[in-house]
């Protein structure tokens, strides 16, 4: 089987940094993982006042921004599969923040709607981004720059994963 790798130049003489690429502290994925866990810790404390977990907060953000959505569209926005999203929505429904309703056009589709209580929670949530920015120690320009870089990183990784999947399918078809 042919060796496949992600595109990019490979030097024949590694730099001092590259020489020890398998160290944990050299892994960008671990830096992102550690930052994500740190964010979750801060969000856990801040969101406690709202009665939300971080994943529930993300669901509410999408609904506050876009209004009623089918579960499928909500999952696409959040990059969550229905097995992960459905329990989140059920807990939000139990808390009285959202309502789930079967679509009248397609019985397989479930629409998620904010309740009045869920819509009102938005006002209390307005302070969350300010508190998070304060916790980072970054100014607004740094936050915007980081956000743009992470969006570019996500797009590049999505493209690389799609290319790898296509190459894997092509290889499987040849064998």
């Amino acid at each position: 089987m042919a060796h496949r790798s992600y595109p990019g130049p490979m030097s024949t003489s590694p730099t001092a940094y590259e020489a020890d690429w398998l160290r944990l502290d050299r892994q960008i994925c671990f830096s992102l993982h550690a930052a994500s866990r740190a964010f979750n810790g801060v969000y856990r404390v801040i969101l406690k006042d709202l009665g939300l977990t971080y994943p529930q907060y993300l669901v509410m953000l999408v609904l506050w921004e876009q209004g009623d959505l089918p579960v499928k569209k909500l999952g696409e926005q959040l990059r969550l599969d229905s097995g992960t999203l459905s329990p989140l929505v059920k807990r939000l429904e139990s808390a009285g923040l959202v309502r789930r309703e079967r679509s009248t056009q397609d019985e397989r589709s479930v629409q998620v709607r904010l309740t009045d209580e869920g819509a009102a929670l938005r006002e209390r949530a307005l302070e969350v981004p300010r508190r998070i920015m304060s916790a980072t120690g970054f100014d607004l320009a740094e936050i915007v720059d980081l956000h743009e870089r992470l969006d570019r990183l996500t797009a590049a990784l999505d493209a690389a994963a799609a290319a790898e999947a296509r190459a894997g399918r092509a290889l499987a078809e040849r064998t």
Side-chain angles (χ1 to χ4, degrees):
M1 174 166 54
H3 174 65
R4 290 178 293 142
S5 64
Y6 286 99
M10 289 297 289
S11 167
T12 53
S13 55
T15 65
Y17 188 88
E18 293 170 328
D20 212 0
W21 270 11
L22 294 181
R23 287 179 42 152
L24 182 61
D25 65 350
R26 301 278 165 90
Q27 306 303 307
I28 189 171
C29 59
F30 183 73
S31 293
L32 289 167
H33 172 74
S36 177
R37 290 187 55 86
F39 261 116
N40 286 339
V42 173
Y43 271 107
R44 188 177 306 110
V45 173
I46 292 173
L47 294 174
K48 191 172 192 170
D49 295 339
L50 299 178
L52 296 174
T53 64
Y54 177 68
Q56 291 169 342
Y57 174 67
L58 296 179
V59 170
M60 296 301 289
L61 287 174
V62 173
L63 294 173
W64 289 329
E65 180 182 342
Q66 298 184 21
D68 304 349
L69 284 174
V71 170
K72 182 177 180 177
K73 292 282 186 199
L74 191 56
E76 289 170 2
Q77 290 286 312
L78 296 171
R79 294 175 164 244
L80 294 174
D81 62 49
S82 63
T84 302
L85 183 58
S86 290
L88 284 172
V89 172
K90 284 180 183 178
R91 284 192 295 276
L92 289 168
E93 186 174 41
S94 294
L97 300 174
V98 302
R99 228 177 22 255
R100 291 178 301 146
E101 299 173 356
R102 290 243 172 247
S103 168
T104 55
Q105 287 82 24
D106 181 357
E107 292 242 343
R108 297 168 298 174
S109 179
V110 175
Q111 193 83 0
V112 182
R113 302 178 189 284
L114 287 169
T115 62
D116 290 342
E117 185 180 343
L121 186 60
R122 184 180 185 281
E123 289 304 311
R124 291 180 46 215
L126 288 172
E127 192 61 26
V128 172
R130 284 186 204 95
R131 290 177 69 187
I132 292 298
M133 189 166 94
S134 175
T136 68
F138 290 3
D139 64 29
L140 183 57
E142 290 172 307
I143 294 286
V144 169
D145 180 61
L146 177 60
H147 192 270
E148 289 171 355
R149 287 170 183 258
L150 289 172
D151 284 349
R152 282 196 340 256
L153 175 63
T154 300
L157 293 173
D158 282 347
E164 283 293 312
R166 283 190 305 276
R169 284 191 301 274
L171 182 62
E173 290 172 2
R174 286 189 296 239
T175 57

